[in-house]
Amino acid sequence: MVDIKKSLEDYKIDSHEQYLAELLLEEVEVQLTGYEANGYKCCNKRKTVGKRMGNVFVQYKYEGDKLNVVDLDILASAPDDISKRILNTYRNKFSHEYRGRTNTININVHRNQHLQLYFTLASILGGIVVGLLLQFMASEEVVTTLRDSFFQPVTTIFIRLMKMVVAPVVLFSIMGSFANVTNLSAYGSIGLKIVGAYMFTTIVACILGLGFGQALLPAVELLPLNGVATAIESQAGDISVGRMFLDIFPDNVVSPISDGNMLQLLFVALVFGVAVSMISERVPLVRGFITELNELSGKVITFILKLVPVMAFCSMASLFSSVKASMLSSCVYLFVTPIAGLVAMIAIYLLMIALVGRTSPMSTIKALPALMVVPFTTASSAASIANTISVADKLGIPSRISSFSIPLGATINMDGLSFYLPAYSLIFAAMAGVNIDSGILMSLLTMCIVLSVATPGVPGAGLPIMAILMELTGTPLEYFSLYVAVYPLVDPIVTSANVVGDLCVTQTIAASGKSKQ
């Protein structure tokens, strides 16, 4: 008989996941016993623990007629018992197979969080190899046919899906942010300071990112993708301050969504977000509805991101089939930028702790490795909340402040994103040969500030935002495929900057309050 607990310990499964696996396995056995009491015949029952591609699972096998004992529609136990509630709560962890008169119930214990990244990296390398083979071994006619019939259509579909999800993501994320800070008044001046500090670091990050991108422009070389990349003026045209201000106000609610006008959409989201925050305590149903819609938008992004490996393969194959490797030197700046953003923002945060919080930042520096390991491995600000609060507790930050500030920061504070969005926009525009005037720069800075706040803290949330900014600057969307290819590699760095900002702002506000007492 297999010792399930010991086998899970050998795979380094934590105690919580072990307990849950044992509970679900016990429920499977309970259901099978119920079916046997009702006359079902089975034999050769056995339990195993396995690991495949980093995913750890428990299998319960029994021989007999086909029967899924965890099928909620035909449970042997009473429909209102605790077993059904448990199985219904964790139904996504079960799967059933039937082969050779053997039923197999699979219980997913631990999912490899890096699996998507591994697939994407393999797709990038595969696309590079295929692209180079096409460039040196295939005729131009074959390359053109593959690019026009397969690579480009896949890229176009992905970009359209990204653009499709932008409006609901921005709308519901901003409204959800306002709906979830209805208790701001309960925190008094501290709550206002926390929100103000997050807005301050966001603006600083956007300005620094814009300046960093401007500094890199002389070194960025043209990178023609499918013949695109000649010196052109931004297709967005000249935008005066007055016109940009007037364009913020829509004449109806529908047109910002249907036309993809982001400034107007942001205005609508802010207006309705404030309204939701004012009535959500009296009408909690509205708050819950907006929160669910926000979560739904995040799920849609997660679903679309499943296509990233395919998109990465096609974009790399198309790129390397037509562009010489020597022309890709400017791509190094796509990796330098997020690293520079992380270093720059950490420096800003430490200065805030020292000057505003009037406390030594040495304890924070020592805590950074433990803090950054989770966002670097999950690429999710939301998934890092528990670890960030744990680090905050070790730094002596009052839980009353950290329990409010850190979850709020995971929602509205995206400083790593704020830094590289304007920098990337300028780099890609330079690669395409697009000249950006001062009016577009002002619009770009404004959009980056607001969109970074509106971006949900889930992996891949920056993809649709970058597509919108490329349209704003007039950069051909062929360059979006290059961004998708590097995104999985830089996202952990960007998320780490976001999470460090959550902790440091929280520590600054907590320390500044103590210094005035």
Side-chain angles (χ1 to χ4, degrees), residues 187 385 389 393 397-408 506:
Y187 288 84
I385 290 176
I389 291 178
D393 292 340
I397 299 174
S399 59
R400 177 177 176 270
I401 296 178
S402 63
S403 62
F404 170 75
S405 176
I406 291 172
L408 177 64
T506 303

Side-chain angles (χ1 to χ4, degrees), residues 197-209:
Y198 282 138
M199 293 298 101
F200 171 76
T201 59
T202 296
I203 294 172
V204 169
C206 285
I207 293 174
L208 289 177

Side-chain angles (χ1 to χ4, degrees), residues 273-436:
V274 172
V276 168
S277 68
M278 295 173 66
I279 68 171
S280 60
E281 289 186 348
R282 290 185 287 109
V283 190
L285 180 63
V286 176
R287 177 182 178 182
F289 180 66
I290 296 299
T291 301
E292 293 297 328
L293 288 176
N294 188 24
E295 184 177 350
L296 175 63
S297 300
K299 291 294 183 182
V300 172
I301 290 180
T302 302
F303 173 75
I304 296 175
L305 289 178
K306 300 293 184 183
L307 302 175
V308 166
V310 179
M311 164 68 172
F313 173 84
C314 292
S315 62
M316 289 295 97
S318 177
L319 177 65
F320 279 86
S321 66
S322 57
V323 176
K324 296 185 182 299
S326 59
M327 301 177 66
L328 298 174
S329 58
S330 294
C331 291
V332 69
Y333 301 121
L334 300 178
F335 298 97
V336 171
T337 297
I339 296 174
L342 175 62
V343 173
M345 292 313 300
I346 288 178
I348 296 294
Y349 300 143
L350 297 180
L351 283 174
M352 286 177 55
I353 294 172
L355 299 179
V356 181
R358 298 181 182 278
T359 187
S360 172
M362 291 306 300
S363 59
T364 307
I365 295 174
K366 294 178 181 179
L368 288 181
L371 173 68
M372 295 171 64
V373 63
V374 175
F376 198 83
T377 54
T378 63
S380 171
S381 297
S384 305
I385 290 176
N387 180 65
T388 309
I389 291 178
S390 175
V391 174
D393 292 340
K394 294 177 181 178
L395 290 174
I397 299 174
S399 59
R400 177 177 176 270
I401 296 178
S402 63
S403 62
F404 170 75
S405 176
I406 291 172
L408 177 64
T411 304
I412 68 173
N413 181 52
M414 302 290 167
D415 291 340
L417 188 73
S418 302
F419 184 93
Y420 91 81
L421 280 178
Y424 269 24
S425 298
L426 295 179
I427 292 172
F428 283 119
M431 287 181 176
V434 177
N435 298 317
I436 299 179

Side-chain angles (χ1 to χ4, degrees), residues 245-261:
F245 180 75
L246 290 176
D247 284 345
I248 293 176
F249 303 93
D251 54 11
N252 62 77
V253 177
V254 178
S255 61
I257 300 175
S258 60
D259 298 340
N261 189 316

Side-chain angles (χ1 to χ4, degrees), residues 25-35 76-77 81 83:
L25 182 60
E26 180 180 341
E27 292 303 328
V28 171
E29 293 177 319
V30 168
Q31 292 302 318
L32 183 57
T33 301
Y35 281 108
S77 55
D81 70 1
S83 294

Side-chain angles (χ1 to χ4, degrees), residues 156-174:
T156 302
I157 290 172
F158 186 85
I159 292 174
R160 289 182 178 179
L161 289 174
M162 284 286 99
K163 293 173 64 178
M164 174 193 72
V165 79
V166 166
V169 165
V170 172
L171 184 65
F172 299 132
S173 179
I174 292 180

